Amino acid sequence: MTDVLNLWKAGLGEVPEDVWERTGLRVLILADNGLARLSPAIGHLRRLHTLDLGHNRLTEVPRELGELRGLTRYLYLHDNRLTRLPPELGQLDELAYLNVGDNRIGELPSEIGDMAGLVELRAQHNELAGLPESIGQLGRLRELWLRGNRLASLPATFSALTQLRHLELRDNALESVPEPLRTLPLLRHLDLRSNRLHAIPDWIAELPSLEKLDLRWNGFEERGDDLRPLRALRERGCVVLT
């Protein structure tokens, strides 16, 4: 019996019960099936390393997802109708990729910080007004996608994300460049488009690895006091868009 079950766009409506009996599965793809409910029996599939539940109609996912300790690669929950994530997701401490984008999530659980294996986290197009302090515990995180939320600031613990390379903060409510970014030595791409920025701090030119800075659609023009850090970035080869 194969350890991969691909039911993408199979028109299921609901998952057949016999799927939960296939405990040897390593990959399960249930994307785009109109699913409105997910059985707690999914917790039986403890050998899964990849689970795709994207593009469905889920308003919640069962806490039994936290029992899938074999999930080390990918968990897709994007494009559903989720308003919250179960704190038990924090038990997936070896998961590398989590996509919860395009939902209605108002806050990430503090237990997100226990997901120490995360390399990429996508939470774009939700209703996040803040991030938990525990976000700073994600010491392996390289990519963080937060476009289209309501963020006006970042927690101070963000400064601990020293492996972060790509940060997307487009379409939020930032009025200044968050100070915790100042200490991120490996940050290469910083997307701040469509916020409410009024000025650019001098320290942004000190980010040693920055290769691209996107500041478009913030409603400010480059003035004399703005030019110095941006000029310094451009002179060293960083692409700066305003």
Side-chain angles (χ1 to χ4, degrees), residues 57-115:
R57 301 174 185 173
L58 299 170
T59 57
E60 62 180 2
V61 291
R63 64 184 184 180
E64 284 77 9
L65 281 187
E67 298 175 10
L68 303 180
R69 302 301 294 274
L71 274 180
T72 56
R73 299 189 186 178
Y74 302 96
L75 175 55
Y76 299 93
L77 297 172
H78 61 93
D79 290 277
N80 276 282
R81 300 173 184 177
L82 304 176
T83 58
R84 61 181 294 275
L85 298 174
E88 287 79 7
L89 281 188
Q91 298 172 31
L92 305 179
D93 55 5
E94 296 186 37
L95 183 67
Y97 175 98
L98 175 62
N99 190 341
V100 297
D102 294 277
N103 278 287
R104 302 167 185 173
I105 299 168
E107 62 179 5
L108 297 177
S110 62
E111 290 80 4
I112 198 87
D114 296 329
M115 302 180 74

Side-chain angles (χ1 to χ4, degrees), residues 109-124:
S110 62
E111 290 80 4
I112 198 87
D114 296 329
M115 302 180 74
L118 282 180
V119 174
E120 183 169 344
L121 172 58
R122 291 179 176 253
Q124 68 277 8

Side-chain angles (χ1 to χ4, degrees), residues 3-241:
D3 60 359
V4 176
L5 181 57
N6 185 350
L7 295 172
W8 176 60
K9 280 190 174 181
L12 297 179
E14 61 182 57
V15 183
E17 289 298 316
D18 61 355
V19 170
W20 313 130
E21 299 171 6
R22 298 182 59 173
T23 55
L25 284 176
R26 304 302 302 274
V27 177
L28 176 58
I29 301 173
L30 294 169
D32 218 338
N33 273 293
L35 303 178
R37 177 184 174 275
L38 193 62
S39 171
I42 195 171
H44 298 161
L45 306 181
R46 298 187 181 182
R47 295 191 64 198
L48 285 180
H49 64 62
T50 296
L51 175 61
D52 188 349
L53 293 165
H55 292 280
N56 279 293
R57 301 174 185 173
L58 299 170
T59 57
E60 62 180 2
V61 291
R63 64 184 184 180
E64 284 77 9
L65 281 187
E67 298 175 10
L68 303 180
R69 302 301 294 274
L71 274 180
T72 56
R73 299 189 186 178
Y74 302 96
L75 175 55
Y76 299 93
L77 297 172
H78 61 93
D79 290 277
N80 276 282
R81 300 173 184 177
L82 304 176
T83 58
R84 61 181 294 275
L85 298 174
E88 287 79 7
L89 281 188
Q91 298 172 31
L92 305 179
D93 55 5
E94 296 186 37
L95 183 67
Y97 175 98
L98 175 62
N99 190 341
V100 297
D102 294 277
N103 278 287
R104 302 167 185 173
I105 299 168
E107 62 179 5
L108 297 177
S110 62
E111 290 80 4
I112 198 87
D114 296 329
M115 302 180 74
L118 282 180
V119 174
E120 183 169 344
L121 172 58
R122 291 179 176 253
Q124 68 277 8
H125 296 297
N126 276 287
E127 299 177 7
L128 302 176
L131 298 176
E133 295 285 335
S134 63
I135 196 82
Q137 298 170 206
L138 301 179
R140 299 181 188 177
L141 199 64
R142 294 188 174 201
E143 297 189 21
L144 181 55
W145 302 75
L146 294 167
R147 175 181 179 177
N149 281 285
R150 302 174 182 176
L151 299 172
S153 64
L154 298 177
T157 55
F158 208 89
S159 62
L161 300 180
T162 56
Q163 295 299 308
L164 199 63
R165 271 79 161 171
H166 183 104
L167 177 58
E168 184 196 49
L169 289 166
R170 178 178 177 177
D171 297 318
N172 276 282
L174 298 169
E175 296 186 358
S176 61
V177 181
E179 181 78 16
L181 303 186
R182 187 172 189 167
T183 58
L184 302 185
L186 301 180
L187 189 63
R188 297 175 184 171
H189 299 157
L190 176 56
D191 190 345
L192 290 165
R193 282 178 285 179
S194 296
N195 277 277
R196 304 170 186 174
L197 303 181
H198 303 301
I200 304 300
D202 288 343
W203 57 256
I204 205 163
E206 300 170 6
L207 290 172
S209 301
L210 200 61
E211 297 174 356
K212 183 177 181 180
L213 173 63
D214 201 334
L215 297 167
R216 289 176 289 175
W217 311 316
N218 271 286
F220 72 88
E221 298 180 1
E222 291 187 30
R223 301 177 297 272
D225 54 347
D226 297 323
L227 290 175
R228 184 171 55 183
L230 299 185
R231 184 185 298 119
L233 285 171
R234 286 171 174 141
E235 286 176 352
R236 77 174 201 214
C238 180
V239 175
V240 179
L241 303 174

